[in-house]
Amino acid sequence: MIQIVFMDIDGTLIPYGQTQVSQEDAAAVAKLQKQGILVFAVTGRCASQVPDLGFDGAISYDGACIQDKGKTILQGDFFKDRELETIVAQARREGHRIVMPGNTQDPVCRVLDLGGNRQLKIRRPEFLEDDTSAGELTEALAQSCFDKGMVTAQILKVLHIPPEASLAMGDGFNDMGMLAGAGISVAMKDAPAQVQACADYTADGVVEALQSAGLLKPPVLEIHTPQPTVAVRQDPDAEVNAKG
C-alpha cells in the first residue's frame, strides 16, 4: 500500500510550456492527502518557488533543502567556506553572474550520508540501446552522491516508511535515482529513454500516473444508448375498412 508520493515539479506536475499547476493536478494532490497519503514535492527549484499546494513536504535544490510543512527537517552547510570561495573566484574569472537564492525562510540544507541503504535498479532495460548502456546507467546510479534519490531515501528512513510503500514520478535525468529507488515509479511520456528505463511505466501527466497506480479512480464515462426505433406496420384490411 502506497504511503507517500514523491512528485517532480517541472515537466511533471507543471508540463513544459505551462507556468502553473492545473486545477485537475491540484485536486489530485488533495485527493491523495484525503486518503492519508503523504505528498512531497521534489524539485531543482529553490524552496520559495515550490507551488503552494499544501504539500506535506518539499525537497528543493535537487535535494539540498528538505522542508516539512515549511519547517526544515534536515539542515547544514551546503558548501564549505573554501569550496564556496573557489566557486565564486572561478565564476568571476570567467565573467559569470552569481545568483545565491535563499534567506532565513529558504534555507539550504545538507542531507545525511545514506551508506548502503539505497536499493536502485533499472526497471525497463528495453528502453536502452544495448547492454553497455544498461551497465553505464547502473554505474551512474551507484555513483550518484547527492541527488533526489538520496534525499527521498532519507525521508523514507526518517518517516519509517519502507521503499515499497513509496511512489515517485518524474521526467528528468536528476529524477533517475528517485525513480529507481521507489516502490513504484512513473516516468513522463516525454522523458529521455534512460529515465524511462528507471521507471515501472510511463504516463501522460500526474493524473494518469496516479490512475495507473490505482491511487485515483479514472472518470466514469456515461454512455447514452439510443433507443431502437420500432416500425409500426399498418394492417391493409383495416385501411380498406376505413375507406369503405
Side-chain angles (χ1 to χ4, degrees):
M1 180 178 177
I2 297 299
Q3 299 179 40
I4 188 169
V5 172
F6 296 112
M7 192 176 296
D8 171 52
I9 301 296
D10 296 294
T12 303
L13 183 61
I14 302 179
Y16 291 112
Q18 298 183 22
T19 59
Q20 296 181 335
V21 179
S22 69
Q23 292 184 353
E24 186 179 24
D25 286 348
V29 171
K31 288 178 181 178
L32 289 176
Q33 292 173 322
K34 285 183 179 179
Q35 297 178 47
I37 299 173
L38 299 174
V39 184
F40 272 62
V42 189
T43 179
R45 296 182 176 197
C46 62
S48 60
Q49 293 179 338
V50 175
D52 185 12
L53 296 183
F55 289 111
D56 296 286
I59 301 170
S60 53
Y61 296 103
D62 266 347
C65 178
I66 308 174
Q67 293 179 305
D68 177 15
K69 291 292 187 183
K71 296 181 180 179
T72 302
I73 58 178
L74 291 175
Q75 183 175 359
D77 295 327
F78 186 50
F79 293 117
K80 295 180 180 179
D81 291 340
R82 301 197 67 172
E83 291 175 338
L84 186 57
E85 289 174 4
T86 300
I87 293 171
V88 171
Q90 181 71 18
R92 286 176 175 170
R93 283 196 300 270
E94 298 181 2
H96 296 300
R97 185 167 63 97
I98 301 171
V99 179
M100 298 292 290
N103 51 44
T104 54
Q105 285 76 41
D106 188 11
V108 177
C109 310
R110 177 176 58 82
V111 297
L112 302 178
D113 183 12
L114 298 178
N117 291 336
R118 304 176 70 194
Q119 299 177 355
L120 306 181
K121 61 181 179 180
I122 300 176
R123 311 296 177 91
R124 297 184 294 175
E126 63 271 18
F127 278 85
L128 304 175
E129 295 180 357
D130 50 38
D131 292 340
T132 301
S133 300
E136 291 175 349
L137 179 54
T138 300
E139 183 177 358
L141 290 172
Q143 295 298 322
S144 59
C145 60
F146 192 82
D147 60 12
K148 292 182 179 182
M150 276 194 69
V151 181
T152 53
Q154 181 64 28
I155 291 296
L156 294 176
K157 184 177 179 181
V158 170
L159 298 177
H160 304 289
I161 296 176
E164 56 270 21
S166 65
L167 181 147
M169 62 180 75
D171 74 307
F173 291 113
N174 60 341
D175 296 317
M176 292 195 298
M178 176 177 72
L179 296 174
I184 299 176
S185 54
V186 190
M188 297 298 103
K189 68 173 185 178
D190 296 329
Q194 297 94 322
V195 179
Q196 295 191 42
C198 294
D200 292 304
Y201 54 91
T202 306
D204 184 11
V206 168
V207 171
E208 183 176 303
L210 296 174
Q211 289 174 348
S212 299
L215 299 182
L216 289 182
K217 293 181 179 180
V220 178
L221 299 178
E222 295 184 4
I223 301 176
H224 299 281
T225 305
Q227 296 295 324
T229 303
V230 179
V232 179
R233 183 178 178 183
Q234 293 288 342
D235 186 349
D237 294 335
E239 186 177 350
V240 171
N241 293 336
K243 291 180 179 180

